[in-house]
Amino acid sequence: MKQSLIAELDVNGLLTALETCLREQIQARKLENPLMIGIHTGGVWLAEYLHERLEIEEPLGRLNIAFYRDDFSRIGVHPEVRPSQLPSTEDRDIILIDDVLYTGRTIRAALNELFDYGRPRRVILGVLIDRNGRELPIQADCVAAHIDLASNQSIKLTGPSPLRLELHTLET
Amino acid sequence: MTTLQLDEQGRLRHFLTIEGLSRDWLIRIMETAQSFGSVTAQSVKKVPLLRGKTVVNLFFETSTRTRTTFELAAKRLSADVLNINLSVSATAKGESLLDTIRNLEAMFVDMFVVRHADSGAAHFIAQHVAPHISVINAGDGRHAHPTQAMLDMFTIYHHKQDFEKLKVAIVGDILHSRVARSQIQALKILGVSEIRVIAPETLLPASVTELGVRAFHNLDDGLADTDVIIMLRLQKERMQGAMLPSEHEYFQCFGLTEARLARAKPDAIVMHPGPINRGVEMDSQVADGPRSVILEQVSHGIAIRMAVMALAMGVVQRGAVA
């Protein structure tokens, strides 16, 4: 199976859109001293930028969902999992950031892990790309772009600098 | 290479011995253990990796620390754990080892953690279990105690990083010690610059130098310039075998004291697999002193056992390790 790169998208414009949406959410929903958490790896890159732009005081949290995946028995544990770095989530307002929302399984795993660090008060989700193909009833609060792709196509963020979105077609 | 513990794709099926594992494998186990470090920071100290799996601690020989840390490791991976103490159970009624295994298999278990007084017991079980079951050796006779050796390597790694530069001394009953055997194998695979064994002649195997180690009969000489000192537990039952005159005399010759520790490098660490016989293998001053990492070894034991269980129960992502 081979991958061919068919397009690259401009990340900067999308990041600005995501930032604007999150700023509105923080105000409209009155998030108090929010804790921003990026999902490893792409989500962390985006969160590092957004954390600075939104001037969030609390240090950035990093979430690695490798131990919470629902397909562990099929693919096993990756040996170089970087541990999650999170403070207690007890009673916190949390802004969860990921690069691409696809099946929803990553977010399901991330929510489970968050609850193992405490009981958050609220969690909102911001993603750069929302693509079709959801397998769970999960949706984001802020989305920079919606994209419909064929099932043999994938979109992924590469980085950390420069950040690039790559659209691939899998050829069998 | 296919061995009993690695499958045809080079994945870990069982964890029975350090022997035959590559340096990459030892590093992979330590890296996996490292990544489990954050679990203890969670308010719910569990990850769901082995949810729904059943781990059986099959102990034919009693051991509190090893069994407890295996149990905690399995529970932190969300497995269900069954503790079976066979030194007082079925075998006392005359049931054969294989019958015991078959019965447990019929209860749909997924992993055996085996401690046995006979060398080779874990290998024997691994050869005969159903294909979906993994076997972890938690110490067999005088043969091997691979998770203990790995947690010791992991502890050294936390303090010293660069194995190639290290001089490591192992002190005590080398002859009867499965811990020492596994440690020596692991230290060699990781490429430490020198391994020394320090013991009275009666507690060293006759062919000790064939292991690629330097033997010393004098503690002061052996400790000079070392980075890591591993004290072994003196098994008191050996006293009756006329191998040692008395505990007191052993301490006089081979007990670690502050004064003797001064022979080692200033940043040398002191390790012991536990339980310590205070005043026999070492002074309390040393055991509780700033150079002692004995309690860290216990914590690292949980992470290492989590890593080994997770690796053996799951198919390792990205295929085999060279």
Side-chain angles (χ1 to χ4, degrees):
Chain A
M1 198 159 66
K2 127 176 183 267
Q3 283 194 351
S4 67
L5 182 66
I6 54 172
E8 276 185 45
L9 291 108
D10 172 38
V11 177
N12 289 331
L14 294 174
L15 258 177
T16 308
L18 185 54
E19 180 195 330
T20 306
C21 175
L22 287 170
R23 203 181 291 280
E24 286 166 7
Q25 285 285 327
I26 291 169
Q27 278 171 5
R29 298 169 72 169
K30 299 187 172 61
L31 299 193
E32 285 170 28
N33 184 26
L35 169 64
M36 181 173 275
I37 297 172
I39 298 177
H40 197 70
T41 337
V44 172
W45 298 332
L46 299 173
E48 277 167 353
Y49 170 85
L50 294 165
H51 184 265
E52 195 183 317
R53 298 285 301 175
L54 295 168
E55 295 171 337
I56 293 173
E57 285 171 24
E58 186 80 16
L60 180 65
R62 292 172 171 79
L63 193 61
N64 193 322
I65 57 128
F67 299 140
Y68 288 78
R69 295 176 62 106
D70 57 10
D71 52 1
F72 163 74
S73 59
R74 277 186 271 164
I75 64 167
V77 59
H78 190 285
E80 290 138 46
V81 174
R82 284 203 224 148
S84 295
Q85 295 165 288
L86 284 187
S88 166
T89 56
E90 186 68 31
D91 213 25
R92 297 297 303 266
D93 284 339
I94 290 169
I95 305 170
L96 194 59
I97 302 292
D98 202 6
D99 46 6
V100 179
L101 176 58
Y102 179 21
T103 61
R105 288 176 193 271
T106 299
I107 303 303
R108 199 276 316 174
L111 289 172
N112 280 12
E113 182 164 0
L114 283 186
F115 275 76
D116 282 350
Y117 284 83
R119 179 182 180 274
R121 189 157 77 119
R122 279 179 295 189
V123 182
I124 70 166
L125 173 64
V127 298
L128 208 55
I129 302 292
D130 179 343
R131 72 160 284 186
N132 56 316
R134 204 82 78 247
E135 294 168 2
L136 294 172
I138 281 170
Q139 62 179 334
D141 299 277
C142 283
V143 176
H146 294 270
I147 300 180
D148 275 355
L149 295 175
S151 59
N152 69 337
Q153 292 179 314
S154 76
I155 186 161
K156 71 172 186 186
L157 186 71
T158 62
S161 77
L163 284 174
R164 299 196 322 171
L165 266 173
E166 293 180 358
L167 190 58
H168 293 270
T169 299
L170 302 169
E171 291 164 6
T172 47
Chain B
M1 185 185 65
T2 309
T3 61
L4 188 53
Q5 53 185 357
L6 299 178
D7 71 5
E8 59 280 4
Q9 276 113 46
R11 299 174 301 206
L12 196 69
R13 272 265 292 128
H14 307 293
F15 189 58
L16 306 171
T17 173
I18 298 291
E19 202 175 2
L21 290 179
S22 63
R23 184 173 192 280
D24 284 352
W25 256 116
L26 303 198
I27 301 285
R28 166 170 286 205
I29 291 168
M30 289 194 279
E31 278 175 348
T32 308
Q34 183 70 28
S35 58
F36 282 124
S38 61
V39 176
T40 45
Q42 298 178 191
S43 63
V44 178
K45 294 181 186 55
K46 263 180 191 295
V47 290
L49 281 184
L50 298 189
R51 201 160 68 92
K53 303 286 185 191
T54 306
V55 174
V56 180
N57 274 331
L58 207 52
F59 277 55
F60 296 88
E61 193 183 72
T62 52
S63 155
T64 309
R65 185 178 339 245
T66 304
R67 191 190 52 70
T68 323
T69 49
F70 264 112
E71 182 175 348
L72 263 182
K75 286 180 170 169
R76 294 214 169 134
L77 294 170
S78 303
D80 296 312
V81 185
L82 212 58
N83 288 310
I84 300 185
N85 185 355
L86 280 152
S87 55
V88 293
S89 179
T91 42
K93 295 179 194 159
E95 187 179 58
S96 83
L97 179 55
L98 274 183
D99 282 336
T100 305
I101 298 299
R102 293 286 170 257
N103 274 278
L104 288 165
E105 280 179 356
M107 300 176 200
F108 304 102
V109 304
D110 301 283
M111 174 178 275
F112 290 122
V113 176
V114 180
R115 157 75 64 110
H116 202 290
D118 292 341
S119 301
H123 283 73
F124 177 79
I125 293 171
Q127 277 163 344
H128 291 92
V129 285
H132 71 279
I133 295 179
S134 287
V135 178
I136 310 284
N137 186 2
D140 61 325
R142 296 186 192 183
H143 173 246
H145 195 351
T147 57
Q148 175 72 45
M150 283 313 301
L151 75 89
D152 294 332
M153 299 306 115
F154 191 49
T155 306
I156 295 173
Y157 177 73
H158 270 255
H159 288 270
K160 302 290 178 192
Q161 278 90 33
D162 204 355
F163 281 96
E164 280 89 7
K165 292 179 183 153
L166 299 181
K167 290 194 177 101
V168 180
I170 305 173
V171 186
D173 184 357
I174 311 290
L175 180 64
H176 300 98
S177 176
R178 55 191 170 211
V179 174
R181 195 175 304 271
S182 288
Q183 283 167 342
I184 290 169
Q185 285 164 351
L187 289 166
K188 285 179 74 174
I189 292 166
L190 292 167
V192 297
S193 86
E194 192 179 325
I195 306 168
R196 300 175 183 178
V197 293
I198 309 172
E201 238 163 305
T202 48
L203 294 179
L204 278 177
S207 55
V208 65
T209 45
E210 286 169 26
L211 296 170
V213 300
R214 279 180 74 189
F216 289 82
H217 303 303
N218 179 296
L219 187 59
D220 286 324
D221 294 345
L223 290 182
D225 205 31
T226 50
D227 301 278
V228 176
I229 304 165
I230 302 174
M231 305 301 294
L232 298 174
R233 190 171 76 89
L234 188 72
Q235 286 155 309
K236 298 197 177 181
E237 51 275 25
R238 311 290 177 216
M239 295 294 180
Q240 281 110 45
M243 288 176 160
L244 287 171
S246 72
E247 286 182 9
H248 179 70
E249 194 167 331
Y250 181 84
F251 181 72
Q252 291 304 312
C253 296
F254 293 96
L256 190 60
T257 58
E258 288 283 352
R260 284 181 160 143
L261 183 52
R263 305 272 300 170
K265 286 199 183 140
D267 62 347
I269 54 171
V270 176
M271 299 167 63
H272 191 295
I276 313 170
N277 298 308
R278 288 171 185 265
V280 181
E281 297 113 22
M282 66 173 80
D283 243 1
S284 280
Q285 249 185 322
V286 176
D288 306 326
R291 318 270 282 277
S292 163
V293 296
I294 295 168
L295 292 176
E296 276 177 50
Q297 288 174 268
V298 179
S299 309
H300 289 153
I302 298 172
I304 282 288
R305 283 162 182 145
M306 287 172 78
V308 169
M309 286 177 166
L311 287 167
M313 295 282 260
V315 183
V316 176
Q317 203 179 354
R318 288 200 189 155
V321 177

